[in-house]
Amino acid sequence: MKIAEINKVCFVGAGTMGCANAVVAGLAGYKVVIYDISKASLDLVPSRFKGIGDYIVAQNICSQPAFDYVVSQIECSDDLNEATSDADLVSESVFESVDIKREIHAKLDQVCPPHTIITTNTSSIMVSEIQDVMSHARGTLFAALHSHLGSILIDIVGGVRTSQHTVDVLERYVLSLNAVPLILKKENPGYVINAMLGPVLATAMLMRQKGEATIEEIDRAWMIQQGVPIGPFGLIDLFGINVIYDSWQKPRSTPNYEQNKADVMALIQPYIDRQELGEKSMKGFYQYPQPSYQSEGFIESSKGDSLDKTISLLRSTLILNALQLAANEIASPEIIEGAWKVAMSVSKGPFELLQEQGHEVFLQQLDAHLQEGWFSDELALPIKAYLTEKAL
């Protein structure tokens, strides 16, 4: 059911994410308009709707007639003034570039009504990198509202000027979508889920590039350990290899970033050059529409010490980065745990895995991974201290 403060929502950017979020809002009863500067992108909206509809109808989220009615009510526009003229909420999902996002948000501040809440759906750029292009008054109405494609989890992250009222409205809006709001205590690169999943994907790519295991072996290990139907390389194909490539172009403050970036680029650059970008191009690390990880017997072919080592390293990566989020007070262990379980559709989160494994065993394996050069003391030592202090 709609909330009182919001009637019309404008989605800026007619890509997959913008279209998916528009459908979700429409299903919840909101009036929806999609804006894109490109008429070519707007022309692709019907085909994107079809793909979204096929999925949600198959998942029994709604009936085909209900879906057809909702999308028939969604407007499309290449006129920003017209699209935002009576919008109560704007959700921006344009290209993941700081400069482009700053440019569009400066325009949105100018053309939107004074009461309009403006949000960014960025997966990596922080509120503080955008908010200064807006007026002081609009800054109180600006936040990150980040959806995870295919998941009901939605991040809400305010900036230093974001009012508590804005956060409260966004929380109730998310709940009205039958989704799960994850409100961060403070902004963090990658928020919560990407701050855990990103390092897992990086570790997977580094293992492959260093010849530690094959793509299939790494994905099997993750699928076994997490109890999920897709592994890191399958996920990269799903997200788009080009999206992962672009995310690595932004400098990070993490240890060994330059060396790790060089190794990751060495792995994925050939795929970029061949335009083998994953599922959307029908070829990436796997062939589509029938990737081998979906084949019968894929899991059963796992065996050997290399499987145990791969499971250990991927699990340690997940736990270590979850602990870092908690230690930096981005969110509580309980919130981090619940967010991972919801976003990844798994029964156990990183803290349950830690408890199951035991602190001593985890620390022993962490020391082994440190000696092998997979983690740095800069990352691991504060986590060891945190574990000792909190006795998690």
Side-chain angles (χ1 to χ4, degrees), residues 252-312:
R252 307 177 185 181
S253 58
T254 54
N256 305 322
Y257 164 72
E258 290 297 336
Q259 181 57 53
N260 288 344
K261 177 184 176 181
D263 289 337
V264 168
M265 291 300 104
L267 175 66
I268 66 177
Q269 187 66 56
Y271 292 89
I272 297 293
D273 294 342
R274 296 191 299 264
Q275 286 296 291
E276 296 173 357
L277 306 179
E279 189 171 342
K280 61 186 172 186
S281 65
M282 306 305 289
K283 189 175 183 182
F285 292 114
Y286 293 95
Q287 295 268 4
Y288 295 88
Q290 296 178 320
S292 59
Y293 65 78
Q294 293 180 352
S295 63
E296 186 176 353
F298 182 79
I299 293 294
E300 286 71 16
S301 58
S302 303
K303 60 183 179 179
D305 293 338
S306 62
L307 174 66
D308 294 337
K309 179 179 179 180
T310 303
I311 288 177
S312 172

Side-chain angles (χ1 to χ4, degrees), residues 201-210 233 236 240-252 256-274 276 285:
L201 300 182
T203 295
M205 290 187 287
L206 292 172
M207 290 185 73
R208 176 65 191 93
Q209 180 61 20
K210 295 176 185 296
F233 288 98
I236 293 172
I241 294 175
N242 60 309
V243 173
I244 302 301
Y245 178 93
D246 291 341
S247 74
W248 276 86
Q249 304 315 305
K250 183 181 179 182
R252 307 177 185 181
N256 305 322
Y257 164 72
E258 290 297 336
Q259 181 57 53
N260 288 344
K261 177 184 176 181
D263 289 337
V264 168
M265 291 300 104
L267 175 66
I268 66 177
Q269 187 66 56
Y271 292 89
I272 297 293
D273 294 342
R274 296 191 299 264
E276 296 173 357
F285 292 114

Side-chain angles (χ1 to χ4, degrees), residues 136-381:
H136 180 78
R138 185 75 68 182
T140 66
L141 297 168
F142 175 60
L145 187 68
H146 173 245
S147 303
H148 298 266
L149 193 61
S151 170
I152 60 173
L153 186 73
I154 299 180
D155 301 307
I156 300 173
V157 190
V160 293
R161 289 190 287 167
T162 309
S163 71
Q164 185 59 49
H165 175 70
T166 296
V167 173
D168 292 341
V169 170
L170 291 175
E171 180 180 16
R172 287 186 288 109
Y173 170 72
V174 170
L175 291 170
S176 77
L177 304 178
N178 292 317
V180 177
L182 171 57
I183 303 174
L184 273 65
K185 295 180 180 179
K186 55 185 176 181
E187 62 179 12
N188 181 65
Y191 303 140
V192 168
I193 299 303
N194 288 346
M196 292 184 282
L197 182 59
V200 169
L201 300 182
T203 295
M205 290 187 287
L206 292 172
M207 290 185 73
R208 176 65 191 93
Q209 180 61 20
K210 295 176 185 296
E212 295 288 336
T214 66
I215 289 171
E216 291 79 5
E217 288 170 341
I218 293 167
D219 276 5
R220 288 190 193 105
W222 182 253
M223 292 161 71
I224 290 171
Q225 194 275 313
Q226 288 282 297
V228 292
I230 189 170
F233 288 98
L235 286 170
I236 293 172
D237 273 355
L238 177 63
F239 301 150
I241 294 175
N242 60 309
V243 173
I244 302 301
Y245 178 93
D246 291 341
S247 74
W248 276 86
Q249 304 315 305
K250 183 181 179 182
R252 307 177 185 181
S253 58
T254 54
N256 305 322
Y257 164 72
E258 290 297 336
Q259 181 57 53
N260 288 344
K261 177 184 176 181
D263 289 337
V264 168
M265 291 300 104
L267 175 66
I268 66 177
Q269 187 66 56
Y271 292 89
I272 297 293
D273 294 342
R274 296 191 299 264
Q275 286 296 291
E276 296 173 357
L277 306 179
E279 189 171 342
K280 61 186 172 186
S281 65
M282 306 305 289
K283 189 175 183 182
F285 292 114
Y286 293 95
Q287 295 268 4
Y288 295 88
Q290 296 178 320
S292 59
Y293 65 78
Q294 293 180 352
S295 63
E296 186 176 353
F298 182 79
I299 293 294
E300 286 71 16
S301 58
S302 303
K303 60 183 179 179
D305 293 338
S306 62
L307 174 66
D308 294 337
K309 179 179 179 180
T310 303
I311 288 177
S312 172
L313 183 53
L314 293 175
R315 181 177 55 209
S316 294
T317 302
L318 171 60
I319 294 173
L320 186 62
N321 284 276
L323 287 168
Q324 185 179 43
L325 288 169
N328 291 338
E329 297 184 338
I330 304 301
S332 69
E334 294 77 18
I335 294 295
I336 297 166
E337 182 86 353
W340 181 262
K341 291 162 72 171
V342 169
M344 305 305 294
S345 298
V346 294
S347 60
K348 295 179 182 178
F351 292 95
E352 288 178 275
L353 293 174
L354 175 61
Q355 294 291 346
E356 187 178 82
Q357 184 180 26
H359 292 188
E360 291 186 6
V361 174
F362 169 73
L363 290 172
Q364 289 171 1
Q365 292 187 351
L366 180 59
D367 284 336
H369 299 321
L370 278 167
Q371 292 177 5
E372 294 168 353
W374 290 106
F375 304 125
S376 68
D377 285 334
E378 182 181 344
L379 174 62
L381 291 179

Side-chain angles (χ1 to χ4, degrees), residues 19-60:
C19 288
N21 287 338
V23 168
V24 171
L27 288 170
Y30 293 99
K31 184 179 180 181
V32 173
V33 59
I34 297 174
Y35 162 82
D36 202 293
I37 194 172
S38 167
K39 290 185 178 180
S41 293
L42 291 174
D43 289 341
L44 293 173
V45 168
S47 64
R48 292 195 172 103
F49 280 164
K50 185 182 184 305
I52 295 164
D54 290 345
Y55 173 78
I56 66 175
V57 170
Q59 297 296 314
N60 294 317

